[in-house]
C-alpha cells in the first residue's frame, strides 16, 4: 500500500485551517503533518517535516505573503510542491504565484473532490488550475501585453525613486529574483532595455506617480 501523501496547510485564518485539516485529514491517502499561519513558520516546518505538498494561501496577514513563502519553500534542499488555495483570482495574483514556482492555483470555492485530486496531481508534479484561473491565463496570453500590473507599477515607482533591487525586494516582501523577473516583463511591455529608459517611459506615459 502506498504511504499517505504528506501535506502542510498554510492559512492565516484559524477556522479555515481547522476546516481544511478536518476535510483533508479524514482522507486515508493524505496526512496533514502540520498547519501554520505564517510564511516563516511554513518554511521551518517544511524543512523539518519534508511534506510532499504545501497548501498555500496568498494573503497571510503581517510579514511575507504566500508568494514569498513559495519562493523560500522552493529554495529548500528538498522542496515540496506548492499548491495555492486562495480567494484571490486577479491576473496579477495568479501570475505572481506561478512565476514564484507554484505547481497549481485553486480557488477556495472549489468542490472537495477537486481539491483532493489537485493535491495528488500537485504531488506528482502536474500543473493544476481552477477553471476560472485557467480562463484568466488564457485571456492574458491572447491579449496584448501592454498594461502594467499593480506589482509592476510598484516596482517602477520604487525604481524611479532610486531604490536598488535589494531594497525593492525588502519593501515588497519578494525575492530579488522576482524583482528581476518583473523588470524583464516591464522592459518588454515598454519596449526598453534599461532601468533608466523604463523609468523615463513610465513617467512620460504617466504610468507612475512620484
Amino acid at each position: 500500500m502506498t504511504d499517505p501523501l504528506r501535506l502542510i496547510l498554510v492559512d492565516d485564518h484559524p477556522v479555515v485551517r481547522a476546516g481544511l485539516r478536518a476535510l483533508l485529514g479524514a482522507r486515508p491517502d493524505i496526512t496533514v503533518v502540520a498547519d501554520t499561519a505564517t510564511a516563516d513558520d511554513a518554511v521551518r516546518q517544511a524543512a523539518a517535516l519534508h511534506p510532499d505538498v504545501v497548501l498555500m494561501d496568498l494573503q497571510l496577514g503581517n510579514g511575507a505573503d504566500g508568494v514569498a513563502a513559495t519562493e523560500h519553500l522552493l529554495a529548500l534542499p528538498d522542496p515540496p510542491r506548492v499548491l495555492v488555495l486562495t480567494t484571490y483570482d486577479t491576473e496579477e495574483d495568479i501570475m505572481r504565484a506561478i512565476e514564484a514556482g507554484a505547481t497549481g492555483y485553486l480557488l477556495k470555492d472549489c468542490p472537495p473532490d477537486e481539491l483532493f485530486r489537485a493535491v495528488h496531481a500537485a504531488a506528482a508534479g502536474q500543473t493544476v488550475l481552477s477553471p476560472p484561473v485557467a480562463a484568466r491565463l488564457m485571456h492574458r496570453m491572447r491579449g496584448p501585453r501592454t498594461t502594467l500590473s499593480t506589482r509592476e507599477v510598484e516596482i517602477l515607482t520604487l525604481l524611479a525613486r532610486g531604490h536598488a533591487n535589494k531594497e525593492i525586494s525588502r519593501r515588497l516582501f519578494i525575492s530579488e529574483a522576482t524583482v528581476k523577473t518583473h523588470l524583464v516583463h516591464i522592459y518588454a511591455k515598454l519596449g526598453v532595455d534599461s532601468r533608466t529608459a523604463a523609468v523615463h517611459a513610465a513617467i512620460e506615459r504617466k504610468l507612475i506617480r512620484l
Side-chain angles (χ1 to χ4, degrees), residues 57-77:
D57 193 10
L58 282 188
Q59 300 299 324
L60 300 176
N62 295 329
D65 64 6
V67 172
T70 297
E71 293 176 333
H72 291 310
L73 286 166
L74 296 180
L76 292 173

Side-chain angles (χ1 to χ4, degrees), residues 7-209:
L7 182 140
I8 288 178
L9 300 170
V10 187
D11 196 295
D12 64 339
H13 291 90
V15 173
V16 173
R17 288 203 313 278
L20 287 171
R21 179 179 273 277
L23 180 68
L24 293 163
R27 300 273 304 187
D29 53 350
I30 298 174
T31 298
V32 179
V33 297
D35 65 78
T36 181
T38 69
D40 290 344
D41 198 35
V43 176
R44 285 194 293 270
Q45 289 183 347
L49 299 173
H50 306 288
D52 300 295
V53 176
V54 174
L55 196 60
M56 177 72 67
D57 193 10
L58 282 188
Q59 300 299 324
L60 300 176
N62 295 329
D65 64 6
V67 172
T70 297
E71 293 176 333
H72 291 310
L73 286 166
L74 296 180
L76 292 173
D78 182 23
R81 306 289 184 180
V82 178
L83 176 60
V84 171
L85 180 66
T86 186
T87 58
Y88 300 90
D89 64 349
T90 66
E91 288 185 7
E92 171 66 9
D93 288 321
I94 296 166
M95 291 306 300
R96 288 179 61 226
I98 291 175
E99 288 172 355
T103 299
Y105 198 109
L106 295 184
L107 301 180
K108 286 183 177 178
D109 61 358
C110 71
D113 285 347
E114 182 180 339
L115 175 60
F116 300 148
R117 289 193 299 269
V119 167
H120 280 282
Q126 300 171 16
T127 300
V128 185
L129 301 172
S130 287
V133 173
R136 284 186 179 275
L137 286 179
M138 289 299 294
H139 179 267
R140 182 184 178 95
M141 291 174 64
R142 289 170 177 165
R145 300 290 300 277
T146 56
T147 304
L148 295 180
S149 68
T150 301
R151 178 64 82 191
E152 288 165 350
V153 170
E154 290 175 336
I155 289 174
L156 257 180
T157 300
L158 291 173
L159 205 64
R161 291 173 180 169
H163 296 296
N165 289 1
K166 185 174 183 179
E167 177 65 12
I168 294 173
S169 71
R170 187 186 68 79
R171 285 173 174 263
L172 299 181
F173 298 104
I174 58 178
S175 71
E176 286 189 64
T178 299
V179 173
K180 291 177 182 177
T181 298
H182 281 301
L183 287 175
V184 170
H185 294 164
I186 289 169
Y187 294 171
K189 290 180 180 182
L190 298 181
V192 299
D193 59 4
S194 71
R195 300 161 72 93
T196 302
V199 170
H200 178 76
I203 294 173
E204 191 175 58
R205 302 179 197 181
K206 298 181 180 180
L207 299 175
I208 60 175
R209 294 180 180 179

